[in-house]
Amino acid sequence: MRLFLVTIMGCFYGFTAHAQNPLVTPDSLDQQRWVEAQYAQMTLDQKLGQLFMVSVASDQNKQSTDAIKNLIEKEHLGGVIFSKGGPVRQAKLTNEYQNVSKIPLLIGMDAEWGLSMRLDSTYAFPWNMTLGAIQDSTIVEKVGYQIGKHAKRLGVHINFAPDLDINTNPENPIIGNRSFGELRDNVVHKGIAFIKGMERAGVLANGKHFPGHGDTAVDSHHNLPVIPFDRNRLDSLELYPFKKVIASGLSSIMVAHLEVPALELKKGMPSSISEQIISGLLKEDLGYKGLIFTDALNMKGVSTQGKDGEVELKAFMAGNDMLLMPENVVSAKQKLTNAYNKGRLTEKRLAYSVKKILMAKYKAGLQHYKPIVLENLYEDLNSLENNLVYEEAIEGAITVVKNNLDLIAIKNLENKKIAYVKSGDAENDAFLKALKKFTEVTVVEAKDINQLKIKLKEYNLVIVGHHKSNDSPWKSFSFSNKELQDLQEIAAERTSNLILCVFAKPYALSSIANFKSIDAIVMAYQNSAIAQEKTAEVLFGAIGATGKLPVTANNEFPVNTGVNTASLKRLGYSLPERVGLSSKGLAKIDLMVNGGLDSLMFPGAQVLVARKGKVVYQKSFGKPTYNSSTNITNEHLYDLASLTKILATLPMVMKMEEEGAIELNDTFEELVPNYSDTEIKNVTVLKALSHYGRLPAWIAFYIDTLDKDRKPSAEFYRTEPMPGFSTKVYDKLYLTDAYQDSIYNRIGRQDLKPNRYRYSDVPYYVMKRVIEKNYGQPLNYLTQNFLYDRLGANSTTYNPLDKFNKQAIVPTEEDNYYRYGTVQGYVHDMGAAMQGGVGGHAGLFSNANDVAKIMQMYLQNGYYGGVKFFDSRTVKKFNTCYFCDKNVRRGVGFDKPQLEHSGPTCGCVSRKSFGHSGFTGTYTWADPEEEIVYVFLSNRTYPSASNTLLVKSGLRTRIQQVIYDSILN
């Protein structure tokens, strides 16, 4: 007898060939001893109970969940499969059920795209078809691992995933998005990667639905689908993934309810109770030694095959190990008991399956069972890591299906007028918000298609977004007939290019009759917020696209269609950990800025942090004023003050230098001949812009235009524009045009100061005149056309009231010394105001997002969005400290890190870094070595410029220190 048992065990465990039995663990001898010890203690009733895995839902009432508890106690169940409910409720039930089970229960779930397939308050990862579009299978492994981590944290030991069906039938009502696609090798590669990730997390995987449910038009939940193909077809397609995955080591397989005449001779016999298919094909022909589950035995595809436990008995005798979701455990168990007592079910057969179940439990760690810890369960299941994995997956999946004229990525923004038109019935807010981060995009709506076409004539690029529900893979994905007709009519209007973005499964394209006039198509696969955001990034070239269609979407777009697009190096938007920063570390910025608000340093602020080309922190705080009822948003415009120097004037000087129109050694005399008889005639561009030109810090031009009551004098000002008085300073305040010459004449009368570092606005007055003379156009026009429009920096402008609603602009001061009113939408700096709001040293308004674009362009050596604004040589030339040996830290225009202990930075930045600060409470800094861009905008001058708390606190550079302290790698 002992020799007989040893023989059985040797064949069963296959210890000499571990790869043949995926349930064998590295500590196989310990596993064997545990299995044998458990089995030896079991009664027949307990052994039979191990074969059953019943369904329970944590959202059921107590009476129902207690009934399962009683079943576990009385019938000695092998496991439970959880359905709908919530994670904490499920964890409590699991602990309760495990507590009453003599042998720990094997807990299962259908969590193909994560726990959210069944549970609320949990995370939904991309569907398999989305993963099927990814070309890098290591990303799929990461998804599998993350799903496995969640399952393990919730006390789930086996996840009935992945789906290994090859979805060759677009009409398949139950598989569809659950499949990796229609190509067998793609299904294999993605399936193996998913399994590898999940089992690495310590959770058993399950391949389903054997022998292949992909080419059916019938849902086996409701009827018995027929797979009518011959054996050659089945071997080459449906069975192919299972063969390959079995060879790679798969812990378990689920057998579907399918009628497969080529594999089972008996008509109407479901595969799940077919001995020929399970014992003959799966176990003998394919050599599978892992755990075999039936699909749910309460499904109509099999439940009609018998009653009172007959189906369960047939399923077990056919070769299944675990009977999933039986209709009646008690009656099924009685049928099995009777069969055992009559000798139809042998001890050998029973031991074979029960020991495999015990092996699986050991592999899942149940030999050391511990209750689920409820503390922080929700937080652990909804961690930041989920978004990191999802984001990477979606980036890899997004597929450019068509790209005529290389329309994607969108270039030449200065020539684009872009409209967005919505199709579908699901959310689109994330897409719109993301599109508008890159440039101006207008939502166009109308009551009918004729009105819509009239409105669209104003635009030369139309983006249509087809948004369908992301709630589940079975939701409707199609265009309505009206949407299809409208799409064709929009496409036929050749006054614009058309990009179609589909936030649904690829089969949505199958109903579109004509693609001729649709210039570009992007398949996003899902309508999640992240998918919408990343699609916008693909459109504008923040990231490239590498995905390929995992199925045939239309005869015109067969499987594997996909046009790779490259990044244009526009700023993207992501999470800190994607670029080696700590979210927890950056969260300290919130506390610091809120502390600044509480200390009355400023009424409101915007803070942005980007690294490696991705904005990873962008928040707004406070209000426009202390008495405002509205909050600051990321779209509000701030007076940038002296940031104007490096964001407006300096780029034009750099452009002139590249064109040979100016040299750094040119003198003021050479640039402005009127200065030939002045003390400042020999000041060079290099010294002036390095703040080593011996020029005064600033000149209070406005004081000389005030009357004896210190109000704007009638000699210089009018309340309405009129000939000779067209320079608008403020509401109902127009300066005499003749005063522009007075400003420059007064600059020429300045005495040179001692030869040392002295920060000065004066060079930028001079550079403004030089630039405008060279190009024959005003500075605001030049910067708009050369830089801002091409960057998509549409919120960056001089004189913002000409373009924006006043409420979108943050006020800077309650002026009681010159303009006598609220300075809002007008430049705060008095000298710039006297130049009609357009100064070389001040006058620019913007938000943090736009400032970051310009700084990122510098960081990328003059390149951004497919445009080479400057040669890298030029950027380096201007970002060089020429007078460091004279204790002058500045570059040419750019501020640079301090040379000693104190200065404009935290002291933690590299010597290659550069930036500037502004009087109104603004600051920006870029570091090429760490690839960091930092922007801080505030209106610390409101209500009074005498408030210097922000300056004294060093908050801006303390935040910079926090950013550098948050670097992980």
Side-chain angles (χ1 to χ4, degrees):
M1 180 67 178
R2 183 180 176 190
L3 178 62
F4 175 70
L5 284 175
V6 170
T7 302
I8 291 175
M9 286 156 43
C11 295
F12 175 56
Y13 286 110
F15 287 130
T16 58
H18 287 183
Q20 296 179 6
N21 190 336
L23 298 176
V24 174
T25 59
D27 59 341
S28 56
L29 293 178
D30 289 340
Q31 181 187 35
Q32 178 183 350
R33 282 192 286 269
W34 186 82
V35 169
E36 289 301 324
Q38 297 300 319
Y39 192 81
Q41 297 173 23
M42 289 184 187
T43 64
L44 174 62
D45 193 50
Q46 290 170 333
K47 293 172 185 176
L48 292 173
Q50 288 297 299
L51 306 178
F52 295 93
M53 180 175 276
V54 300
S55 176
V56 66
S58 59
D59 65 358
Q60 292 175 319
N61 59 38
K62 191 173 189 301
Q63 183 180 357
S64 298
T65 56
D66 280 351
I68 299 299
K69 182 178 176 181
N70 292 333
L71 268 182
I72 293 168
E73 281 191 280
K74 294 179 180 179
E75 304 301 335
H76 315 291
L77 301 182
V80 296
I81 176 171
F82 275 96
S83 186
K84 293 189 176 296
V88 175
R89 287 171 287 165
Q90 179 171 315
K92 289 178 179 178
L93 277 179
T94 299
N95 287 344
E96 190 176 335
Y97 290 164
Q98 293 284 22
N99 188 51
V100 299
S101 181
K102 182 177 179 182
I103 296 175
L105 296 162
L106 190 67
I107 306 297
M109 275 192 76
D110 281 313
E112 294 172 24
W113 55 89
L115 300 178
S116 71
M117 183 173 177
R118 292 289 183 255
L119 302 179
D120 61 36
S121 308
T122 54
Y123 198 86
F125 290 91
W127 301 319
N128 279 2
M129 190 166 288
T130 307
L131 301 181
I134 299 170
Q135 300 306 294
D136 181 359
S137 291
T138 61
I139 297 174
V140 180
E141 183 180 340
K142 291 179 184 179
V143 175
Y145 177 70
Q146 196 67 8
I147 290 173
K149 278 177 60 180
H150 288 186
K152 190 166 184 69
R153 177 66 179 86
L154 191 57
V156 174
H157 310 112
I158 181 165
N159 181 8
F160 292 104
D163 190 309
L164 297 176
D165 299 313
I166 301 172
N167 204 78
T168 50
N169 188 342
E171 302 300 320
N172 195 316
I174 191 61
I175 305 302
N177 267 331
R178 300 166 68 194
S179 166
F180 291 114
E182 70 179 59
L183 292 180
R184 66 180 197 172
D185 287 319
N186 191 36
V187 171
V188 167
H189 295 149
K190 300 307 190 303
I192 288 175
F194 190 97
I195 290 163
K196 184 179 178 182
M198 196 159 60
E199 297 228 346
R200 182 160 56 90
V203 172
L204 307 181
N206 177 272
K208 61 187 185 185
H209 303 84
F210 185 85
H213 206 319
D215 197 350
T216 68
V218 174
D219 181 356
S220 54
H221 288 82
H222 307 299
N223 217 322
L224 183 64
V226 177
I227 308 296
F229 310 111
D230 63 26
R231 182 61 188 263
N232 288 336
R233 151 73 190 249
L234 293 172
D235 279 336
S236 64
L237 197 66
E238 277 79 5
L239 292 171
Y240 183 85
F242 293 97
K243 293 177 184 178
K244 294 294 184 180
V245 175
I246 285 170
S248 73
L250 173 64
S251 292
S252 69
I253 282 177
M254 177 184 288
V255 183
H257 311 310
L258 303 167
E259 182 180 352
V260 193
L263 301 178
E264 168 57 62
L265 298 177
K266 186 175 180 181
K267 184 175 177 58
M269 172 71 79
S271 50
S272 54
I273 58 174
S274 166
E275 186 175 359
Q276 291 184 51
I277 291 175
I278 301 169
S279 293
L281 174 61
L282 180 56
K283 296 166 82 170
E284 293 179 23
D285 295 352
L286 301 185
Y288 185 60
K289 300 184 184 304
L291 200 60
I292 301 174
F293 287 82
T294 66
D295 203 343
L297 294 174
N298 59 4
M299 292 165 61
K300 296 301 181 185
V302 71
S303 62
T304 57
Q305 296 292 318
K307 57 183 181 179
D308 298 330
E310 291 176 358
V311 170
E312 287 78 6
L313 178 59
K314 290 177 181 178
F316 187 71
M317 298 307 295
N320 291 293
D321 298 309
M322 287 204 85
L323 309 173
L324 189 65
M325 297 169 65
E327 288 204 302
N328 189 310
V329 172
V330 176
S331 59
K333 196 173 173 188
Q334 187 59 53
K335 286 285 185 183
L336 288 163
T337 303
N338 293 342
Y340 185 92
N341 290 334
K342 291 178 181 179
R344 182 182 172 192
L345 169 56
T346 66
E347 171 62 25
K348 179 181 177 180
R349 169 69 186 91
L350 182 60
Y352 178 80
S353 286
V354 173
K355 288 182 179 181
K356 273 209 284 183
I357 294 165
L358 291 171
M359 289 179 73
K361 291 186 175 185
Y362 188 97
K363 185 177 180 181
L366 282 169
Q367 76 278 19
H368 301 302
Y369 165 73
K370 293 180 180 179
I372 302 165
V373 176
L374 299 180
E375 187 178 359
N376 294 325
L377 177 59
Y378 175 85
E379 290 76 12
D380 292 343
L381 297 179
N382 292 278
S383 68
L384 177 69
E385 196 173 357
N386 299 338
N387 283 343
L388 294 170
V389 172
Y390 192 111
E391 189 176 273
E392 187 176 4
I394 285 294
E395 286 181 2
I398 293 172
T399 305
V400 176
V401 178
K402 181 180 180 182
N403 195 23
N404 281 1
L405 309 171
D406 287 329
L407 192 56
I408 300 169
I410 300 168
K411 307 171 190 71
N412 304 319
L413 296 183
E414 70 276 14
N415 299 326
K416 298 292 189 297
K417 191 171 183 184
I418 304 175
Y420 164 83
V421 176
K422 184 186 180 185
S423 170
D425 52 9
E427 288 294 322
N428 67 333
D429 290 350
F431 189 47
L432 278 176
K433 188 175 180 181
L435 289 173
K436 291 178 179 181
K437 288 180 178 179
F438 294 97
T439 192
E440 185 176 346
V441 177
T442 304
V443 177
V444 178
E445 299 173 319
K447 293 181 180 179
D448 57 59
I449 187 60
N450 291 326
Q451 291 283 328
L452 185 63
K453 288 193 294 184
I454 291 170
K455 289 184 177 181
L456 289 176
K457 288 185 184 297
E458 299 178 23
Y459 301 88
N460 57 21
L461 177 59
V462 178
I463 299 170
V464 173
H466 180 60
H467 301 266
K468 299 298 288 184
S469 174
N470 201 61
D471 290 346
S472 87
W474 300 290
K475 289 282 189 176
S476 169
F477 60 89
S478 302
F479 290 86
S480 69
N481 289 334
K482 182 181 183 304
E483 287 168 345
L484 288 171
Q485 183 178 344
D486 289 353
L487 179 63
Q488 294 295 342
E489 292 204 35
I490 293 169
E493 297 289 311
R494 299 313 296 159
T495 55
S496 60
N497 292 118
L498 175 61
I499 298 175
L500 172 63
C501 298
V502 179
F503 299 94
K505 69 172 72 171
Y507 298 130
L509 295 179
S510 63
S511 58
I512 298 176
N514 185 355
F515 294 94
K516 184 177 179 181
S517 296
I518 301 175
D519 300 295
I521 301 170
V522 180
M523 179 59 58
Y525 299 96
Q526 305 204 213
N527 196 48
S528 64
I530 293 176
Q532 292 181 46
E533 291 161 359
K534 293 301 166 184
T535 300
E537 292 189 24
V538 167
L539 290 182
F540 285 100
I543 57 175
T546 58
K548 307 291 180 189
L549 287 179
V551 294
T552 296
N554 186 288
N555 289 336
E556 197 165 331
F557 305 117
V559 63
N560 258 344
T561 296
V563 181
N564 285 4
T565 63
S567 166
L568 297 180
K569 298 187 77 172
R570 286 197 179 103
L571 277 175
Y573 301 83
S574 188
L575 300 162
E577 282 71 11
R578 285 292 301 278
V579 295
L581 289 172
S582 164
S583 295
K584 186 176 180 180
L586 294 182
K588 295 176 184 176
I589 298 173
D590 296 41
L591 298 174
M592 297 173 74
V593 179
N594 283 319
L597 292 172
D598 293 342
S599 300
L600 304 182
M601 294 181 190
F602 42 78
Q606 293 175 350
V607 183
L608 181 148
V609 180
R611 193 182 191 208
K612 298 180 180 179
K614 295 183 184 294
V615 175
V616 296
Y617 182 100
Q618 185 180 12
K619 292 187 179 182
S620 294
F621 302 85
K623 300 176 183 296
T625 73
Y626 292 111
N627 297 320
S628 297
S629 58
T630 57
N631 294 325
I632 291 292
T633 69
N634 291 341
E635 288 70 44
H636 271 97
L637 273 65
Y638 278 87
D639 182 336
L640 300 183
S642 284
L643 298 194
T644 303
K645 294 180 173 72
I646 66 167
L647 303 181
T649 307
L650 191 64
M652 299 311 303
V653 174
M654 293 167 72
K655 183 173 186 288
M656 287 177 62
E657 197 274 343
E658 280 196 356
E659 295 168 349
I662 195 171
E663 293 182 4
L664 295 186
N665 287 324
D666 284 347
T667 63
F668 279 11
E669 178 183 25
E670 292 170 315
L671 297 173
V672 185
N674 288 346
Y675 290 160
S676 59
D677 293 326
T678 68
E679 280 198 28
I680 67 172
K681 65 180 181 180
N682 292 322
V683 175
T684 63
V685 174
L686 176 62
K687 286 191 172 183
L689 296 186
S690 299
H691 300 280
Y692 192 52
R694 303 174 64 188
L695 298 169
W698 75 299
I699 302 171
F701 298 106
Y702 80 100
I703 291 178
D704 289 345
T705 68
L706 303 180
D707 61 21
K708 59 182 179 60
D709 297 321
R710 302 191 66 81
K711 298 289 180 66
S713 169
E715 179 185 353
F716 298 104
Y717 296 95
R718 298 291 184 270
T719 58
E720 299 291 338
M722 58 182 59
F725 290 84
S726 64
T727 305
K728 189 173 185 180
V729 173
Y730 188 65
D731 292 333
K732 297 183 179 181
L733 191 62
Y734 293 83
L735 177 65
T736 174
D737 298 334
Y739 207 83
Q740 300 307 307
D741 288 337
S742 300
I743 289 174
Y744 286 96
N745 290 337
R746 185 167 176 185
I747 290 173
R749 295 196 301 270
Q750 297 301 305
D751 296 327
L752 290 177
K753 305 299 179 182
N755 192 21
R756 62 174 177 80
Y757 168 71
R758 179 180 284 99
Y759 178 78
S760 176
D761 286 342
V762 173
Y764 290 88
Y765 283 88
V766 177
M767 288 300 108
K768 175 180 184 288
R769 173 155 283 194
V770 170
I771 292 165
E772 292 179 340
K773 179 183 178 183
N774 181 72
Y775 291 106
Q777 293 175 328
L779 180 62
N780 57 322
Y781 181 88
L782 292 167
T783 53
Q784 199 72 48
N785 285 275
F786 170 63
L787 195 58
Y788 312 140
D789 288 348
R790 298 164 82 197
L791 284 169
N794 302 100
S795 295
T796 306
T797 185
Y798 285 96
N799 291 320
L801 289 172
D802 293 344
K803 301 178 182 179
F804 295 92
N805 184 288
K806 189 174 185 178
Q807 299 310 309
I809 309 165
V810 178
T812 49
E813 190 173 21
E814 293 295 334
D815 183 339
N816 60 4
Y817 51 86
Y818 176 36
R819 287 155 287 195
Y820 294 92
T822 302
V823 181
Q824 184 174 11
Y826 294 98
V827 61
H828 177 267
D829 183 271
M830 294 72 76
M834 296 174 74
Q835 293 183 300
V838 183
H841 65 295
L844 202 61
F845 287 73
S846 190
N847 56 35
N849 194 55
D850 274 10
V851 172
K853 291 177 184 180
I854 304 172
M855 296 301 286
Q856 187 68 25
M857 179 271 293
Y858 285 138
L859 199 67
Q860 294 170 175
N861 289 311
Y863 180 89
Y864 190 91
V867 178
K868 188 69 174 174
F869 291 92
F870 305 111
D871 188 85
S872 58
R873 173 200 64 84
T874 305
V875 177
K876 183 178 181 181
K877 177 182 285 190
F878 281 75
N879 185 31
T880 296
C881 177
Y882 290 93
F883 303 105
C884 281
D885 60 334
K886 306 296 185 183
N887 203 31
V888 178
R889 67 171 188 263
R890 300 265 178 170
V892 184
F894 295 113
D895 201 356
K896 299 284 289 174
Q898 54 264 42
L899 299 175
E900 296 180 352
H901 300 297
S902 62
T905 76
C906 56
C908 51
V909 299
S910 76
R911 290 300 311 161
K912 293 180 181 178
S913 69
F914 55 92
H916 216 284
S917 60
F919 183 80
T920 52
T922 58
Y923 183 88
T924 186
W925 208 268
D927 189 340
E929 286 194 2
E930 292 294 348
E931 299 180 77
I932 288 175
V933 170
Y934 163 44
V935 184
F936 180 100
L937 304 181
S938 76
N939 56 335
R940 68 101 190 157
T941 51
Y942 189 90
S944 172
S946 62
N947 178 7
T948 58
L949 293 173
L950 174 66
V951 178
K952 291 176 180 177
S953 72
L955 177 65
R956 289 172 287 186
T957 53
R958 287 193 289 115
I959 290 174
Q960 189 176 51
Q961 181 68 61
V962 165
I963 296 167
Y964 279 74
D965 289 344
S966 299
I967 294 174
L968 300 172
N969 54 63

